[in-house]
Amino acid sequence: MAIRIGDQAPNFTQESTEGKIDFHKWAGDSWVVLFSHPKDFTPVCTTELGEVAKLKQEFDKRNVKAIGLSVDPLNDHTKWTKDIEETQSCKVNFPLIADADKKVSNLYDMIHPNANDTFTVRSVFVIDPSKKVRLILTYPASTGRNFVEILRVIDSLQLTDGYKVATPVNWKDGQDVIIVPSLQDEGEIKRLFPKGYKAIKPYLRVTPQPNK
Ligand code: BEZ
């Protein structure tokens, strides 16, 4: 069964560069970015893992833990980590799951056989502290992901969890947001959005980001 947005993220135990991981225990009360990459010692993956390491402060600010995965064995991950650190000028500060038996890749449907029957595609799962899946992305092996975009989505998820708003196209933290259409009570709108709002259409009402 494919995993979908809103599903409980399945738990697993697997070896990683930071020891054996029980996924739910490891996640604790944090948000998680679980991402697969096709193969160790490959160029695009090397740049992606360097970028995730360099974004650590941004992940920390949002209470997010990153965890990578490929179907390579642990000793390859350990050797490759040195290459990543050398070439990307970073310290790999998050675990890499060594999924040589494909236990996690199969559980999360990260192998798409018509693309490649052995290696994982570039999957991303954003999981919230209640272990609910909140975002799923799938990229082909030849295209490196934009992890700044993943942080942007997490900003949106964390904001919309706390306020009755949605975020418009290309929104970035600090910009105006949209009042959810289900909110119709004028008194409640005034109470929730004291900075006011602009109704461009009855269903398109824009307000300053409420937590700024
Ligand atoms: C890469 O990470 O560079 C890569 C991996 C698998 C296929 C193509 C590129």
Side-chain angles (χ1 to χ4, degrees):
M1 265 284 281
I3 297 170
R4 295 179 174 164
I5 287 180
D7 289 355
Q8 183 80 358
N11 197 24
F12 58 81
T13 52
Q14 187 60 291
E15 286 301 336
S16 87
T17 48
E18 297 187 5
K20 196 171 195 151
I21 281 185
D22 175 311
F23 183 56
H24 282 188
K25 269 202 199 128
W26 173 85
D29 294 329
S30 298
W31 289 68
V32 171
V33 174
L34 168 65
F35 65 101
S36 57
H37 55 271
K39 197 166 163 43
D40 290 5
F41 304 105
T42 51
V44 177
C45 300
T46 302
T47 61
E48 284 192 328
L49 271 67
E51 174 71 353
V52 172
K54 287 181 210 162
L55 287 172
K56 174 151 176 63
Q57 276 193 330
E58 295 300 321
F59 286 118
D60 285 350
K61 259 202 268 179
R62 295 163 175 83
N63 184 32
V64 177
K65 288 180 175 175
I67 185 163
L69 172 150
S70 73
V71 296
D72 298 280
L74 189 56
N75 61 336
D76 277 359
H77 279 0
T78 308
K79 277 190 221 146
W80 182 43
T81 296
K82 293 196 185 98
D83 287 0
I84 297 166
E85 293 181 346
E86 180 197 324
T87 61
Q88 307 303 304
S89 309
C90 65
K91 177 105 198 101
V92 175
N93 44 29
F94 57 91
L96 292 178
I97 296 166
D99 197 38
D101 63 2
K102 301 183 180 162
K103 182 166 73 179
V104 183
S105 315
N106 287 329
L107 188 64
Y108 277 78
D109 197 22
M110 291 165 164
I111 295 175
H112 295 199
N114 291 326
N116 187 302
D117 59 7
T118 311
F119 304 126
T120 47
V121 290
R122 296 186 197 280
S123 299
V124 183
F125 294 85
V126 172
I127 298 161
D128 73 16
S130 73
K131 312 291 178 284
K132 195 183 271 190
V133 174
R134 302 295 299 275
L135 170 78
I136 302 170
L137 288 175
T138 309
Y139 273 48
S142 51
T143 304
R145 287 156 287 197
N146 183 339
F147 285 90
V148 174
E149 165 62 5
I150 292 163
L151 288 169
R152 189 190 75 86
V153 180
I154 292 169
D155 283 342
S156 172
L157 289 168
Q158 293 184 344
L159 176 71
T160 58
D161 278 356
Y163 297 89
K164 291 187 176 179
V165 296
T167 58
V169 60
N170 295 341
W171 172 86
K172 284 196 188 119
D173 187 43
Q175 295 179 343
D176 287 355
V177 298
I178 290 168
I179 298 172
V180 293
S182 59
L183 185 57
Q184 289 296 330
D185 182 89
E186 264 310 312
E188 201 186 351
I189 292 174
K190 282 207 174 94
R191 185 176 62 77
L192 293 176
F193 305 107
K195 293 175 200 153
Y197 72 94
K198 191 170 151 194
I200 298 160
K201 289 280 176 194
Y203 57 84
L204 177 55
R205 298 166 303 174
V206 180
T207 188
Q209 187 172 323
N211 62 348
K212 291 282 171 183

